[in-house]
Amino acid sequence: MELLSRQHWIFDMDGTLTVAVHDFEAIRHSLGLQSGQPILEQLDAMPETKRRPLLRRLDAIEMGIAGQARPQAGAVELLAHLRSRGAKLGILTRNSVDNARQTLKAAGLDAYFVDECIVGRECATPKPNPDGVVKLLDQWETRGTEAIMVGDFLFDLLAGRQAGTATVYLDIDGTSQWSDYADATVRSLYSLIATR
């Protein structure tokens, strides 16, 4: 794939670089939120006095999950390969930055990402908004056409597309659910290790 030669890589975290363990329906239930609807958007629609304690509870739930993080198959090898060729690496997550750091540490992936290249929900409007992608591109002083966004969910792909990056859909289960929104679909991160 031609796009694998790009030198600026942005990754979703949960379900992409780490094995997915979140039970989003259980989290919604715990927070008293509507089933099947995005958590952050539901919280954002609430008055501040109601939203603030629920966000604290969400942070606590997510921090508990962070300690269980395991690397996705091929994550270490891909990140090591990209770093060996001088690629810039970033994380764009709907989690908090603190949660992202803890997750990456538990999964043994923290050495590949500098703090300023971890963009969480408090740093930019969450995906599918492209703000976080644009923030990283601006920091790296590059354009979307020089970057690639890798994720396992529609919001990852939409954020990348809106910012003008190439998009790669990690479709481990082979459902092809979001393939129409991706420039490439892969079943494994090993597929993204360029052999040339």
Side-chain angles (χ1 to χ4, degrees):
M1 276 182 275
E2 178 72 25
L3 57 86
L4 297 186
S5 63
R6 297 186 184 203
Q7 283 291 89
H8 301 85
W9 288 66
I10 303 170
F11 292 92
D12 168 57
M13 189 175 61
D14 299 316
T16 300
L17 288 180
T18 63
V19 175
V21 294
H22 288 70
D23 182 342
F24 291 109
E25 277 305 303
I27 294 172
R28 289 183 191 100
H29 180 74
S30 174
L31 298 174
L33 300 177
Q34 185 177 346
S35 175
Q37 299 301 312
I39 293 169
L40 297 181
E41 285 74 4
Q42 288 191 68
L43 293 176
D44 194 49
M46 294 178 178
E48 180 68 19
T49 53
K50 186 175 181 182
R51 177 174 61 241
R52 191 177 303 124
L54 289 178
L55 270 173
R56 282 196 296 271
R57 281 178 55 197
L58 177 61
D59 284 340
I61 291 168
E62 290 177 336
M63 202 56 81
I65 295 169
Q68 306 169 35
R70 294 179 294 123
Q72 189 74 257
V76 172
E77 293 84 353
L78 174 60
L79 295 174
H81 171 77
L82 292 172
R83 184 157 69 170
S84 75
R85 58 174 231 221
K88 301 279 190 183
L89 304 176
I91 292 283
L92 179 58
T93 178
R94 285 170 59 95
N95 293 322
S96 69
V97 170
D98 282 346
N99 177 272
R101 288 186 187 120
Q102 289 302 316
T103 300
L104 292 168
K105 183 175 181 179
L109 303 174
D110 53 318
Y112 296 101
F113 299 95
V114 295
D115 284 350
E116 57 267 24
C117 293
I118 300 173
V119 178
R121 62 179 171 242
E122 69 273 53
C123 305
T125 306
K127 299 174 288 186
N129 191 292
D131 280 2
V133 177
V134 172
K135 181 182 178 82
L136 286 167
L137 295 177
D138 287 348
Q139 182 177 312
W140 293 331
E141 298 181 346
T142 193
R143 300 164 300 168
T145 53
E146 302 298 322
I148 183 166
M149 175 77 209
V150 183
D152 70 318
F153 187 64
L154 176 62
F155 286 0
D156 308 315
L157 306 174
L158 290 176
R161 282 214 157 176
Q162 291 178 72
T165 73
T167 53
V168 171
Y169 171 35
L170 178 61
D171 181 21
I172 291 173
D173 297 328
T175 64
S176 299
Q177 188 173 10
W178 313 119
S179 291
D180 289 347
Y181 299 89
D183 294 298
T185 298
V186 296
R187 296 284 305 273
S188 165
L189 292 177
Y190 286 111
S191 302
L192 298 178
I193 299 174
T195 56
R196 57 180 137 217

